[in-house]
Each structure stands twice: as structure tokens, then as C-alpha cells.
Amino acid sequence: MQLDDEARLIRRIARAFSTPDVDVIGVAVSGGGDSMALLHLAAKTGKTIKAVTVDHGLRAGAAAEAAMVGQMCNELGVAHTILEWRDWDGHGNLQAAARQARYKLMTAWAKDSGVGGVLLGHNKDDIAETYLMRLSRKAGIDGLAMMDTAFEKDGVHWARPLCHVSRADLRDYLTRVDVAWADDPSNDDVDFDRVRVRQAMGQLAEIGLTADALHHASVAAKKARSALDYYTAVEARAHVQQDQGDLIMARHLPIPDDIARRLRSKALQWIGGLDYPPRQSSLQHLETGLALGDQATVAGCLVSIEGDNLRFARELNAVKMTATTIEAIWDKRWQMDGPHSAELQIRALGEGIRDCPDWRQMGHPRASIMAGPAIWRGNELISAPLAGLNDEWTVRIVADFHSYLNTH
């Protein structure tokens, strides 16, 4: 990475967040070469920077690496926080659980620290490796598309300004500025898919499948996905009707099969509050279930056949344990307004529908109403607007399906 490239990269980092509410920028720093380079470059932007390191407690050297990051932050004049994760129970996918924990911990840290946006150190080689991993899992356009360089999650902005920079260039930069970094020994553990893919990259490069080539393919897939998403939103306006929290569309749509599949997938994602679209296997499970009966459950949703239409609704079992304060957004979609009180909660109506004699007059299916929000005081039902109980309270969707499509 030459000096002119460095200057452009610093400008890119400084402009990673276009939203005016990001005054303080956070940097996620593990101690590896990518994140250490990101930290050092971010400190040159002139912005207010805060750094955060998550110690997963899974390796003996993790604490020392976090301390190394702290020392570098001290030299740069950057505030540094170490967050600990000690909840691994030894079951399931370790990398997925650690990743989910990192985002959760860093989100809470960002909100508590006044950080509006957090920078992540993913680079060009990460993009190439992810492309190969997803290709091996028979991913389609969505899976092969490059990860978003900027996104919003749980009220925090995130950005990946190094996505077009190679791992080697970042380490060359650190060597030139005399900054040390730590190599995670798990990067040599062939039990992990990414490690095996990384080790195979050298051989693949001999036949032209270089990191640059794979990165280019991933970018092309992202452009294709954007075009498909655009036409999915167009067809949604023509073929999808929103009924409170439910969506209704024809069972057989007069549109290309892939756009119809995307509409069903996006419907499940919106209703189920999923971070990512359901897998193809889930959609196949849905089709199989509907072929065998008049309804099926998938991804926390209940899909029912109504004549020539499909109704997509929330599944009661997916939300029956979900409880929030009355000021919060319930189930990622619902906001309730009325005479607030600290002793009240929002929970699913469930069997409380028995105390709602007018629910049939509301014109919604019983299952949809039961899976919708209600106001409770302990075990006492106070209000269920979707079921016509107590008009002191109103309920609304915070972002309708069509708006959701335009932002996802």
C-alpha cells in the first residue's frame, strides 16, 4: 500500500459513515493484522475514535492480545475497552456463537459509549474466502454476493472500509509504521472451514482463482442481487397486500420464479424478524408442507392457504415467551401507544383471546391475532388492539413491508 493509496484509504475510513448522527467512531480491534491496521489508520482521520476488544476467553493468549491493543490505543490517544465473553457451553458452532456474541457485546458498548458507528476490519481476502465457502455450500446469488460494506443493526451503524484492501497490503503497512500484531493460532486449525479454504487459496491462484478474481466475482454477484432486489420490491407493490402484521400474496404469481421465491423469502424474513433470508431448504420445507396440507410453519412464521392466496403470519410459538417494556418495539415490528405504566408489559395475546369477545369483528384470522401484541399487567390482560379490546391503546407496525424491502 503506497502513500497515495494510504491517503485515499484514510479518507474512505473518515467517510465510512454518511449519517450525521455518527460523531464518535468505534473500531473493533482483535489484535490481528487487519484490525490493528484499521485502528492505526482510523487514528489518522482526525475523528474522535474509541476502540473495543472482545476477549472470548477461549485461548490463553487472548488476554495478552487485548492488553497489546490497549497499549497501542494508549500510544495513539484512543480510549479502549475490553469486553469479556464467557458464555460458551461447548455445544454448536463455536465461530457462529462467538460472532453473535461479539456483535451483541459491541452493540451494547457502542450505545453506552456514545459511539454511533463501528468499523470492522474485513478485507479483500476475507471476501474471497467467504465466496469460496459459500460456493461449496451451493449458495445462490444472495449467498455469493459480497458482504455489505455498510449496514445498520440494532440501532448501530457498521462499516467495513477495508473490503478492497488485501491482507498482505495491510501487513506491509504495519511493518512500515513499525506496529506489531498478533496471529491467532486458530487461523492454522484445519477443523475450521475458513482455514482449509485459506490454505487452498495458493493452489487455486495457480489456475487463476486469485483473491482478486474471487473478490471481483463477489462484487458482481452483489450487483446482480441489488438488481433482483429492486425488481422484487417492484413486484411486491403489485402482488403483496399487507394486513396488519400479515402479508397476503397469490399462491401462483405471474412473475419469474426467482422473483416469486424472493418475495416469499422476504415475507418470512420481515415477519420472522430474521437478520438473513431463510435458507433454500426452509423454502423447500414450506412448499412441501403446503403440498401436504393447508398450512405450514417455517422460520417462526405460519403460512396458510386461503383460496388462491397465501397468508404469511407470525407463529404464536415463536413469540409466546417474548416480553418487552411498553416503550420498546415488540418482536422487532410492533409499537404500542397508550397510558404507559412501568408495571405493564407487551406480550403475545395468546390464549388471552378468550377474554376478547369482539375479536371476530376485527376481520383478522384467530391465529394472527393470538400471535400479535397485547398489554399485560402480570397475568391480567389490559388491552389487545388487534382483538378490539380496550381502545385506550393503539398498535402500529414501525416499518411496513414495502418500506422494509427498500431498506434491505
Side-chain angles (χ1 to χ4, degrees):
M1 185 164 53
Q2 302 301 316
L3 185 60
D4 57 340
D5 295 326
E6 179 184 327
R8 282 197 296 269
L9 184 53
I10 291 172
R11 287 196 297 271
R12 181 187 299 168
I13 292 171
R15 299 170 183 172
F17 302 107
S18 58
T19 53
D21 57 330
V22 180
D23 297 321
V24 180
I25 295 177
V27 184
V29 191
S30 66
D34 309 326
S35 61
M36 289 294 279
L38 178 60
L39 170 64
H40 201 268
L41 290 163
K44 295 181 178 181
T45 63
K47 302 282 188 177
T48 301
I49 303 295
K50 293 184 179 181
V52 61
T53 301
V54 178
D55 175 4
H56 298 89
L58 299 173
R59 295 184 292 103
E65 292 165 12
M68 178 193 70
V69 175
Q71 181 178 349
M72 173 55 61
C73 288
N74 186 55
E75 294 173 7
L76 295 173
V78 172
H80 179 234
T81 300
I82 298 174
L83 306 175
E84 295 184 346
W85 179 57
R86 299 293 185 265
D87 295 334
W88 172 242
D89 60 5
H91 297 89
N93 186 317
L94 171 58
Q95 290 191 327
R99 180 171 58 251
Q100 183 177 8
R102 279 198 302 275
Y103 276 107
K104 182 178 180 180
L105 288 169
M106 290 192 296
T107 295
W109 165 81
K111 292 179 178 179
D112 291 342
S113 304
V115 170
V118 181
L119 300 175
L120 304 170
H122 299 99
N123 60 52
K124 181 188 291 187
D125 297 83
D126 294 322
I127 304 298
E129 292 161 7
T130 299
Y131 183 90
L132 282 178
M133 291 169 62
R134 292 179 176 175
L135 189 64
S136 71
R137 297 167 186 165
K138 303 177 182 179
I141 288 294
D142 286 1
L144 298 177
M146 186 180 82
M147 62 182 69
D148 291 331
T149 55
F151 61 101
E152 192 272 338
K153 180 179 173 65
D154 296 330
V156 176
H157 300 284
W158 307 80
R160 301 178 172 112
L162 304 182
C163 277
H164 301 284
V165 185
S166 72
R167 186 176 293 130
D169 280 344
L170 292 170
R171 280 153 178 73
D172 286 347
Y173 168 77
L174 291 175
T175 300
R176 190 169 69 251
V177 297
D178 194 27
V179 171
W181 69 90
D183 286 318
D184 186 342
S186 66
N187 289 334
D188 296 320
D189 188 345
V190 294
D191 286 340
F192 296 119
D193 290 343
R194 184 174 294 276
V195 174
R196 293 196 297 273
V197 167
R198 186 171 297 175
Q199 292 179 350
M201 289 288 287
Q203 291 177 299
L204 293 174
E206 295 177 3
I207 58 172
L209 291 177
T210 62
D212 281 342
L214 295 169
H215 180 271
H216 178 81
S218 187
V219 171
K222 184 176 183 180
K223 292 178 179 178
R225 183 187 67 184
S226 295
L228 290 169
D229 283 345
Y230 171 81
Y231 286 105
T232 298
V234 169
E235 296 297 349
R237 290 194 290 272
H239 298 290
V240 180
Q241 174 189 351
Q242 184 173 330
D243 179 22
Q244 291 287 2
D246 296 357
L247 296 174
I248 302 170
M249 68 181 77
R251 189 174 183 186
H252 303 290
L253 293 164
I255 58 179
D257 287 345
D258 193 57
I259 300 298
R261 179 191 63 79
R262 286 173 176 275
L263 274 180
R264 292 190 289 269
S265 177
K266 290 294 186 181
L268 294 171
Q269 188 177 359
W270 180 70
I271 291 173
L274 307 175
D275 290 332
Y276 301 99
R279 294 181 181 273
Q280 181 63 28
S281 58
S282 296
L283 296 178
Q284 292 172 345
H285 173 77
L286 171 61
E287 293 300 323
T288 300
L290 293 176
L292 296 174
D294 59 0
Q295 65 180 31
T297 57
V298 62
C301 301
L302 173 67
V303 184
S304 307
I305 298 175
E306 296 183 346
D308 293 331
N309 294 327
L310 293 178
R311 178 181 287 270
F312 292 74
R314 196 62 159 128
E315 181 189 7
L316 176 59
N317 281 341
V319 292
K320 65 181 181 180
M321 302 302 292
T322 301
T324 67
T325 61
I326 51 178
E327 297 88 357
I329 296 173
W330 184 79
D331 195 30
K332 298 186 178 182
R333 293 191 300 157
W334 298 98
Q335 183 78 59
M336 302 194 73
D337 299 297
H340 288 194
S341 172
E343 61 185 356
L344 302 177
Q345 274 189 330
I346 306 177
R347 302 201 306 268
L349 175 59
E351 294 300 328
I353 197 170
R354 297 173 180 174
D355 298 322
C356 303
D358 299 327
W359 72 264
R360 291 178 179 83
Q361 300 176 23
M362 304 304 292
H364 309 302
R366 188 173 192 270
S368 299
I369 293 176
M370 291 176 68
I375 299 293
W376 295 85
R377 181 188 292 114
N379 293 323
E380 179 188 3
L381 177 62
I382 302 300
S383 176
L386 296 180
L389 179 69
N390 187 352
D391 60 8
E392 287 188 322
W393 286 86
T394 59
V395 64
R396 56 189 170 87
I397 293 285
V398 294
D400 65 30
F401 179 62
H402 301 288
S403 298
Y404 170 84
L405 288 181
N406 291 329
T407 57
H408 289 72

